[in-house]
């Protein structure tokens, strides 16, 4: 079981802030593919990965990062300074 968190416009497109998933994904990209296949709202939210950042267990990661033992994955738009 893994906690998946969605922030900002990702949350708005999917319609929920977080969910618990039972997944067989071994990488973040595998998880994204599973999510895209669920419903159109997920496919839309994950249609352009260049507009997304991901953190695994609160550490900024890449989409090829392994999920073995991960408890949490968060998806969010890039942060801008100011």
């Amino acid at each position: 079981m893994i906690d998946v968190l969605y922030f900002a416009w990702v949350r708005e497109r999917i319609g929920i802030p977080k969910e618990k998933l039972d997944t067989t994904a071994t990488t973040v990209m595998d998880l994204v593919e599973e999510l895209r296949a669920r419903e159109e709202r997920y496919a839309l939210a994950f249609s352009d990965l260049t507009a997304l950042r991901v953190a695994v267990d609160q550490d900024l990661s890449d989409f090829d990062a392994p999920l073995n033992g991960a408890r949490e994955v968060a998806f969010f738009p890039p942060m801008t300074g100011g």
Side-chain angles (χ1 to χ4, degrees), residues 24-44:
T24 59
T26 58
T27 66
V28 172
M29 194 63 215
D30 291 342
L31 179 62
V32 167
E33 292 300 332
E34 283 184 18
L35 291 168
R36 281 178 173 161
R38 292 177 87 186
E39 294 178 39
E40 188 174 335
R41 61 188 173 136
Y42 290 93
L44 199 62

Side-chain angles (χ1 to χ4, degrees), residues 29-66:
M29 194 63 215
D30 291 342
L31 179 62
V32 167
E33 292 300 332
E34 283 184 18
L35 291 168
R36 281 178 173 161
R38 292 177 87 186
E39 294 178 39
E40 188 174 335
R41 61 188 173 136
Y42 290 93
L44 199 62
F46 293 103
S47 62
D48 180 9
L49 297 185
T50 63
L52 279 176
R53 297 295 176 265
V54 62
V56 176
D57 289 335
Q58 300 184 2
D59 287 325
L60 198 57
S61 301
D62 294 318
F63 285 90
D64 60 356

Side-chain angles (χ1 to χ4, degrees), residues 1-38:
M1 209 53 116
I2 193 167
D3 289 324
V4 182
L5 287 69
Y6 309 107
F7 294 94
W9 60 259
V10 185
R11 178 182 60 230
E12 291 169 14
R13 287 186 187 170
I14 292 174
I16 55 175
K18 65 181 177 178
E19 59 186 320
K20 281 194 180 300
L21 293 179
D22 193 11
T23 180
T24 59
T26 58
T27 66
V28 172
M29 194 63 215
D30 291 342
L31 179 62
V32 167
E33 292 300 332
E34 283 184 18
L35 291 168
R36 281 178 173 161
R38 292 177 87 186

